[in-house]
Amino acid sequence: MSMILSASVVRVRDGLPLSASTDYDQSTGMQECRKYFKMLSKKLSQLPDRCTLKTGQYNINFISSLGVSYMMLCTENYPSVLAFCFLDELQKEFITTYNMMKTNTAIRPYCFIEFDNFIQRTKQRYNNTRSLSTKMNLADMQTEIKLRPPYQISVSELGSANGFSHISVGEYKNTGKISAAPHQRLEPVTLPGIVSFVLSLLCGALNLIRGFHAIESLLQNEGEDFSYVIAFFLGTVACLYQCYLFVYYTGWRNAKSFLTFGLICLCNMYLYELRNLWQLFFHVTVGAFSTLQIRLRQPQGKSPDYNV
């Protein structure tokens, strides 16, 4: 018989379980699947936002959005479209019921256990497919799954239950290749970070505009120095690269941010004759502020071992 057996809501950044359905089945297969749930919860930040793990007679499906993952266990013959529609309903209800501030600041496991009531009601509805009245949602989900199918995780990728080996993500089926190195998530964006990002874009745009004006001046006057054009465009590249470093995690990120700030200072020193002191001060200050925000927005820490 095809059916949904259990579901849980987990915070992505550290694997903290926020809510879960009550399970009464104590069979060996279910106990093994609970181990897989625990192992997956520790790897959520390294995995795509829609995945499936097939474990013999059971499937584990999950989706992740806004720092929260919605996981479910079903029998192997349960339709994939129904499974992801079920998860989509859990996601919409959870987002509507709880704001991000509550989920981000939660410190104890299962602090939203009352959400289990909605999980149980939805599970019963999806286990009775004859009375299921979500045909339009099913059609939309079927189209979405065809266009972007879930990544298929193999049991071997999870390693053993005691020693969690690193997941090496290979190809994301039909959607190109994912790098073998895990994507490291950064801490949530703060208001000063957003301000620094916008100001860096502004400085980059100003440098780009002045660079084109310098090219026009160079074409009209043969005696103009072409090195000014290079300095303006280097300044543009440096500002845009600061924006990139703020948004994405890369190796040697802090060192790159300091080198980029150094390049901004050198470009402005060279353009001393074309800019007044206030303009120089603005560009250098924005560069320093952006470097500070890059330094403050660090990768999220390693997941603690919650007893899922």
Side-chain angles (χ1 to χ4, degrees):
M1 181 180 179
S2 64
M3 62 186 300
I4 297 172
L5 301 172
S6 65
S8 63
V9 181
V10 180
R11 191 163 61 193
V12 170
R13 77 167 188 261
D14 54 9
L16 176 72
L18 302 174
S19 185
S21 59
T22 305
D23 299 329
Y24 301 102
D25 191 342
Q26 299 296 324
S27 64
T28 304
M30 286 292 290
Q31 292 290 342
E32 192 69 21
C33 287
R34 288 191 187 96
K35 292 181 182 178
Y36 291 135
F37 261 68
K38 183 175 181 179
M39 295 159 69
L40 280 170
S41 68
K42 294 177 178 295
K43 305 290 185 180
L44 290 171
S45 62
Q46 303 170 12
L47 291 168
D49 61 351
R50 181 187 294 153
C51 296
T52 296
L53 171 65
K54 297 187 176 184
T55 61
Q57 41 185 318
Y58 301 107
N59 288 346
I60 297 175
N61 303 291
F62 69 84
I63 60 174
S64 300
S65 176
L66 300 176
V68 178
S69 185
Y70 308 86
M71 310 174 70
M72 58 92 75
L73 174 68
C74 61
T75 54
E76 61 177 336
N77 54 353
Y78 193 81
S80 179
V81 175
L82 283 178
F84 284 102
C85 273
F86 168 76
L87 292 174
D88 189 56
E89 281 204 37
L90 295 190
Q91 173 186 266
K92 289 177 180 177
E93 181 65 20
F94 192 85
I95 291 173
T96 303
T97 309
Y98 307 104
N99 59 48
M100 288 185 63
M101 180 68 71
K102 287 185 177 180
T103 58
N104 288 333
T105 56
I107 57 175
R108 59 184 179 86
Y110 304 107
C111 55
F112 305 123
I113 194 61
E114 67 278 2
F115 189 71
D116 175 40
N117 295 328
F118 179 81
I119 295 177
Q120 295 291 4
R121 291 197 306 270
T122 310
K123 186 173 72 170
Q124 290 175 7
R125 190 157 55 86
Y126 273 82
N127 282 338
N128 186 11
T129 55
R130 291 183 179 179
S131 62
L132 196 60
S133 57
T134 55
K135 291 185 178 180
M136 186 164 294
N137 290 339
L138 290 177
D140 293 342
M141 182 60 69
Q142 192 165 18
T143 302
E144 188 175 343
I145 287 178
K146 284 182 179 179
L147 295 174
R148 193 171 66 90
Y151 173 68
Q152 302 291 326
I153 306 171
S154 65
V155 175
S156 60
E157 286 178 311
L158 292 180
S160 63
N162 295 323
F164 300 126
S165 64
H166 174 70
I167 291 181
S168 176
V169 179
E171 288 193 6
Y172 194 166
K173 188 178 179 183
N174 296 334
T175 56
K177 202 168 190 178
I178 294 179
S179 172
H183 172 66
Q184 180 70 53
R185 291 178 180 243
L186 297 170
E187 293 176 349
V189 179
T190 60
L191 180 59
I194 296 174
V195 172
S196 71
F197 182 86
V198 173
L199 289 176
S200 291
L201 286 178
L202 176 61
C203 288
L206 291 174
N207 282 323
L208 188 63
I209 293 171
R210 291 294 301 273
F212 282 120
H213 286 168
I215 292 176
E216 291 179 2
S217 178
L218 184 66
L219 294 175
Q220 294 173 1
N221 305 303
E222 294 183 357
E224 292 289 332
D225 192 351
F226 183 73
S227 59
Y228 288 137
V229 176
I230 298 175
F232 279 122
F233 283 112
L234 279 177
T236 300
V237 172
C239 292
L240 295 180
Y241 192 61
Q242 278 197 324
C243 295
Y244 175 83
L245 290 174
F246 178 74
V247 174
Y248 296 104
Y249 176 81
T250 64
W252 301 92
R253 182 165 166 267
N254 291 332
K256 289 176 181 177
S257 67
F258 284 115
L259 290 175
T260 306
F261 175 60
L263 179 60
I264 290 174
C265 292
L266 289 174
C267 290
N268 281 280
M269 286 174 61
Y270 192 80
L271 297 170
Y272 179 78
E273 295 180 357
L274 301 181
R275 282 177 168 161
N276 59 42
L277 290 176
W278 286 110
Q279 290 173 331
L280 294 172
F281 177 77
F282 175 74
H283 282 271
V284 173
T285 302
V286 170
F289 183 50
S290 297
T291 303
L292 176 62
Q293 293 305 313
I294 293 170
R295 178 69 182 85
L296 292 176
R297 193 184 183 209
Q298 291 299 304
Q300 292 177 349
K302 185 180 178 182
S303 304
D305 186 12
Y306 292 112
N307 184 23
V308 180

